[in-house]
Amino acid sequence: MARKTDIPSIYYGEPRKFDPKFRGPVHNRSCTDVVCCVIFIIVILGYIALGTVAWIHGDPRKVAYPTDSHGQFCGQQDTPNANKAILFYFNMLKCANPAVLINLQCPTTQLCVSKCPDRFATLRTAQNSTTWEYYKQFCKPGFGSKPIEEVIRDDDCPSMIVPSRPFLQRCFPDFITRNGILTVANQTVFNDGLSVRSVNDLKDAANGISSLLNAKEFSLRIFEDYANSWDWILIALVITMVVSLLFILLLRFTAGVLLWLIIFGVIAAVGYGIGHCYWEYSVLSGKPGANVTISDIGFQTDFSIYLKLSQTWLIFMISLSMMEAIIVIMLIFLRKRLQIAIALLKEGSKAISYIMTTLLYPIFTFFLLSLCIAYGAVTAILLASSGNAVYKVTSADDKCIYGNLTCNPKTFSATNITTVCPGSQCLFAFYGGESTYHRYIFVLHLCNLFAFLWMVNFTIALGQCTLAGAFASYYWALRKPRDIPSCPLLSSFCRALRYHTGSLAFGALILSVIQTIRVVLEYLDHKLKGSQNACARFLLCCLKGCFWCLEHFIKFINRNAYIMIAIYGKSFCTSSKDAFFLLMRNVVRVAVLDKATDFLLFLGKLLISGSVGLLAFFFFTRKLPVIQVEVPSLNYYWVPLLTVIFGSYMIAHGFFNVYSMCVDTLFLCFCEDLERNDGSPSRPYYMSPGLRKILHKADSLAKSSL
């Protein structure tokens, strides 16, 4: 059986020829992929225009404040409703109507009030009693004297009020269960002015409207937690940044010891986690109520509830055990390659020590990514809050021919709608519009998503190309460090931005298209979850898997293409082909070194983010007695905790990406060096003796494994 290295070189291009004039990254280069550069600039200008249009039409107040039936915000300062921050529903029973799901609005009069009702009363009993003054504050201001039937028909007053409590700035009935029987104000039935109704009807109606608010409640509480803990989250991320920087500096001097400490540290940490989960599981197994399954309690926003279930800790224990087993198995199979990978990382440490500014570049990338994320998020919020107040005809009679039609509250009284449909009203329904802009809001959301992904991927591509150019300058310096050019990072950044914006945008465009398709597939999968068409779900699952693989393959190709662009200054397609052929001509070396170094760096990121996350867990759950006073009050402690863990991992990833990019660049340069030179005095190798020794071991290991 022929080995892969026996395949004729013509299949993967001809090896590089010796060029006595080549001294590393080419300085005399021209602009590449100009057409894509022009398109990219046009898209940036269009993205700015999209954000401007969204800013003009959007109004974040529509998300922050509830809106009454007249389209006015409750609780907004400098308005008549400034002291009325709570929304009151005249007839909560109408919220059980299917129209709630269609219009996303309860078809009853809604009024801004200063506080919710605290007693039970009906319009009939209150009108001629001492409670009328209290009851009247929940009626429309300035309504005249009418018979009760007309007051109820015109929705001038609610037919009843029940003890309620504010929830998401809305009044909801305060249900109490006594001896297993649902009551409101100690009553199981009530008269709504038209008929005797059960309290269960009221509960169903309240559930109807609250189901529409659950997502908003969840997001508002999360926003509140971020507002209360953002400073501590920032402190945790700064700690991560400092630890990551110190970690990389220590790798320069103690790479071997530190990397082995990482390996055993991760194994020990996961092992401790397994033991702790087993202890929690054994303690909870004997407690009453702790054996309830997760499926029985359903989704709960308070995650601490799950920690009181034995099944939760069993799942954690099994997951950590599987992780431990995978790590140990990988260590066993990669034990020889890890030694080579550690030596290669030591060589990378030398390159970084000569170009220390590369350690600061992730901060610049993080800043650019923050700008992209902030702009994309604000644009999405403004698009979601775009539109004018839309009013719909609501009527108690389901047979009303004008029901659910758009109306104008200023001219509604002059129409014949109230004559044809007695008791109908023109009430605020939602924010939207019939203009071209409002009809294409969904398309604009897709444009925002695509442009956002393109900006993010371009920022990452610029960072990779800049670092590759700097490390290539180090490698192709024959006498290190004397021949390393001054300011290699800045020079590489200027070359990438001046000559290769189009090429970087081209690679980012391909990746963004694939990622957008993946987002659309996830959206379709969410919509088809209840579908009974097994063939469609299977096809969708296959497409998701294929595009996941394609995305990771394109990321691999792009990364190596950017290295070749940084060195030779050619177009994206040419650089992709050259990088792919070069890797295929050295495929065995790639198999030996690539995953081993990635595995080591992944363990380092895991250890740093896990350590900071553990510290954040003890802090936000008030298990650090020294600083308990400073802990903010939170709805969900897991909100800042997950943010810290994810942010810590991304920061560690940014710093360790410098090492990863250094190793990949050195490896490609090494492969080029072997093809260009033979080690003779006239054609000397540019690699250091240490690197030559490392890759000689890799070649020996590769031959022994064939």
Side-chain angles (χ1 to χ4, degrees):
M1 180 177 177
R3 298 185 316 194
K4 290 184 179 181
T5 51
D6 296 333
I7 297 176
S9 60
I10 193 172
Y11 286 0
Y12 301 119
E14 293 293 337
R16 294 278 183 183
K17 303 298 182 182
F18 172 69
D19 182 3
K21 297 181 180 180
F22 182 74
R23 291 291 185 273
V26 177
H27 293 280
N28 297 324
R29 54 180 76 194
S30 59
C31 295
T32 56
D33 298 306
V34 178
V35 175
C36 193
C37 179
V38 173
I39 295 173
F40 183 60
I41 293 173
I42 293 173
V43 169
I44 292 176
L45 295 176
Y47 198 25
I48 295 173
L50 174 61
T52 304
V53 172
W55 177 267
I56 293 172
H57 289 85
D59 188 352
R61 294 178 304 172
K62 299 169 185 176
V63 180
Y65 299 104
T67 310
D68 67 9
S69 296
H70 300 288
Q72 298 175 341
F73 300 118
C74 296
Q76 184 186 356
Q77 297 299 320
D78 301 324
T79 66
N81 292 331
N83 297 322
K84 300 177 180 180
I86 306 172
L87 193 66
F88 172 73
Y89 296 92
F90 269 30
N91 191 350
M92 180 66 74
L93 293 168
K94 290 185 179 180
C95 298
N97 193 304
V100 174
L101 300 177
I102 298 173
N103 300 323
L104 301 179
Q105 186 74 7
C106 184
T108 185
T109 300
Q110 298 166 40
L111 189 71
C112 296
V113 296
S114 58
K115 60 180 180 179
C116 296
D118 59 7
R119 65 195 71 175
F120 180 87
T122 65
L123 180 61
R124 292 184 183 276
T125 59
Q127 197 169 30
N128 297 316
S129 67
T130 56
T131 61
W132 176 240
E133 288 300 320
Y134 177 82
Y135 195 99
K136 196 165 58 173
Q137 65 179 312
F138 301 102
C139 298
K140 290 180 181 177
F143 80 97
S145 299
K146 297 180 182 179
I148 290 181
E149 290 74 14
E150 292 184 16
V151 172
I152 294 175
R153 184 197 65 189
D154 297 337
D155 258 4
D156 290 327
C157 281
S159 59
M160 62 172 180
I161 58 173
V162 298
S164 306
R165 54 186 175 85
F167 178 67
L168 292 177
Q169 292 181 273
R170 290 161 174 84
C171 293
F172 280 85
D174 191 8
F175 298 104
I176 299 174
T177 302
R178 296 183 183 277
N179 300 322
I181 301 174
L182 190 68
T183 64
V184 172
N186 296 324
Q187 300 187 54
T188 58
V189 295
F190 56 90
N191 191 322
D192 67 351
L194 298 174
S195 61
V196 177
R197 306 292 294 266
S198 168
V199 170
N200 288 317
D201 295 337
L202 188 61
K203 182 183 179 183
D204 292 339
N207 288 338
I209 189 63
S210 65
S211 64
L212 297 175
L213 301 171
N214 280 340
K216 186 174 181 180
E217 170 215 359
F218 192 52
S219 58
L220 285 175
R221 289 189 176 183
I222 289 177
F223 180 79
E224 188 177 299
D225 285 343
Y226 278 128
N228 292 334
S229 61
W230 67 269
D231 49 347
W232 291 105
I233 293 175
L234 192 61
I235 291 172
L237 297 182
V238 170
I239 291 174
T240 304
M241 193 178 297
V242 173
V243 171
S244 300
L245 188 59
L246 291 175
F247 193 87
I248 289 177
L249 292 174
L250 287 174
L251 277 177
R252 170 67 180 89
F253 306 101
T254 60
V257 176
L258 199 58
L259 288 170
W260 282 114
L261 282 176
I262 289 176
I263 294 171
F264 290 112
V266 170
I267 293 175
V270 176
Y272 170 78
I274 294 172
H276 181 74
C277 291
Y278 176 76
W279 180 79
E280 291 280 0
Y281 172 74
S282 59
V283 169
L284 290 173
S285 295
K287 287 187 177 181
N291 294 322
V292 179
T293 62
I294 295 176
S295 59
D296 289 337
I297 65 172
F299 176 74
Q300 301 290 331
T301 54
D302 185 3
F303 281 14
S304 62
I305 295 175
Y306 297 111
L307 299 181
K308 298 176 182 178
L309 305 179
S310 60
Q311 188 185 60
T312 303
W313 294 102
L314 179 63
I315 293 173
F316 285 163
M317 184 175 64
I318 294 173
S319 301
L320 290 175
S321 299
M322 292 175 62
M323 183 188 296
E324 185 87 326
I326 291 171
I327 293 174
V328 172
I329 291 172
M330 290 188 70
L331 285 174
I332 292 172
F333 282 97
L334 295 175
R335 62 189 184 280
K336 293 183 179 179
R337 299 181 182 184
L338 285 177
Q339 296 176 354
I340 300 173
I342 289 173
L344 187 59
L345 288 173
K346 285 182 180 179
E347 191 66 25
S349 299
K350 293 181 182 178
I352 293 174
S353 66
Y354 290 128
I355 315 175
M356 291 294 291
T357 50
T358 55
L359 294 177
L360 301 177
Y361 191 84
I363 300 175
F364 178 67
T365 300
F366 178 75
F367 173 73
L368 293 180
L369 289 176
S370 299
L371 288 180
C372 293
I373 293 171
Y375 186 83
V378 170
T379 302
I381 291 173
L382 291 174
L383 285 173
S385 62
S386 295
N388 301 316
V390 175
Y391 297 85
K392 297 278 188 177
V393 177
T394 59
S395 175
D397 186 2
D398 294 335
K399 297 180 181 179
C400 176
I401 60 174
Y402 296 103
N404 204 36
L405 293 182
T406 305
C407 59
N408 187 339
K410 295 181 180 179
T411 61
F412 183 74
S413 59
T415 64
N416 67 335
I417 297 178
T418 54
T419 305
V420 177
C421 304
S424 59
Q425 298 183 85
C426 184
L427 301 180
F428 168 78
F430 55 87
Y431 290 103
E434 301 298 329
S435 66
T436 304
Y437 171 79
H438 295 106
R439 285 199 298 269
Y440 289 95
I441 282 289
F442 181 74
V443 176
L444 294 178
H445 274 295
L446 283 180
C447 292
N448 178 46
L449 172 66
F450 176 74
F452 165 73
L453 291 175
W454 199 357
M455 298 297 114
V456 168
N457 287 321
F458 175 81
T459 302
I460 295 172
L462 178 62
Q464 291 176 342
C465 190
T466 300
L467 291 173
F471 293 127
S473 299
Y474 161 81
Y475 183 92
W476 294 107
L478 186 59
R479 291 165 295 182
K480 301 176 179 64
R482 189 172 65 180
D483 291 345
I484 299 176
S486 60
C487 302
L489 184 70
L490 181 61
S491 301
S492 178
F493 176 78
C494 294
R495 285 195 302 267
L497 204 58
R498 178 181 177 184
Y499 297 109
H500 307 301
T501 297
S503 298
L504 301 179
F506 192 7
L509 172 63
I510 297 172
L511 189 58
S512 300
V513 170
I514 296 171
Q515 289 173 338
T516 303
I517 294 174
R518 286 195 63 200
V519 171
V520 172
L521 289 175
E522 290 291 344
Y523 174 78
L524 293 175
D525 183 44
H526 177 72
K527 290 295 184 182
L528 292 175
K529 278 195 181 295
S531 173
Q532 300 299 319
N533 192 333
C535 182
R537 285 186 279 112
F538 174 76
L539 180 62
L540 194 61
C541 184
C542 291
L543 286 173
K544 287 169 61 179
C546 290
F547 276 97
W548 182 87
C549 295
L550 181 60
E551 180 185 352
H552 284 73
F553 176 73
I554 293 298
K555 283 183 177 179
F556 175 76
I557 292 296
N558 283 6
R559 185 182 181 88
N560 291 284
Y562 298 146
I563 296 175
M564 301 302 281
I565 289 172
I567 298 174
Y568 294 103
K570 296 182 180 180
S571 66
F572 176 79
C573 293
T574 302
S575 299
S576 299
K577 182 193 69 174
D578 292 344
F580 181 73
F581 284 174
L582 180 62
L583 291 171
M584 291 306 296
R585 292 196 297 267
N586 297 271
V587 66
V588 177
R589 294 190 180 103
V590 174
V592 170
L593 293 173
D594 185 50
K595 293 306 173 187
T597 52
D598 287 348
F599 179 66
L600 281 177
L601 294 175
F602 170 73
L603 290 182
K605 290 182 280 189
L606 199 64
L607 185 63
I608 290 176
S609 58
S611 301
V612 177
L614 186 63
L615 182 64
F617 172 77
F618 286 132
F619 174 75
F620 288 117
T621 55
R622 301 177 181 273
K623 294 184 178 179
L624 291 177
V626 180
I627 50 176
Q628 278 195 9
V629 180
E630 303 294 335
V631 180
S633 177
L634 301 170
N635 296 304
Y636 314 119
Y637 72 84
W638 53 265
V639 171
L641 177 61
L642 291 182
T643 304
V644 167
I645 293 174
F646 177 75
S648 299
Y649 183 84
M650 295 307 297
I651 290 174
H653 174 75
F655 280 98
F656 278 80
N657 187 57
V658 175
Y659 254 94
S660 180
M661 205 66 205
C662 178
V663 170
D664 289 347
T665 304
L666 293 180
F667 179 73
L668 280 185
C669 291
F670 165 78
C671 294
E672 290 263 346
D673 197 7
L674 286 181
E675 293 183 350
R676 287 179 176 276
N677 305 303
D678 56 9
S680 62
S682 59
R683 297 168 59 184
Y685 287 131
Y686 282 79
M687 70 187 80
S688 65
L691 184 60
R692 194 180 316 164
K693 183 179 179 182
I694 294 167
L695 291 218
H696 176 71
K697 289 182 180 180
D699 288 341
S700 302
L701 180 60
K703 290 177 182 178
S704 64
S705 61
L706 290 174

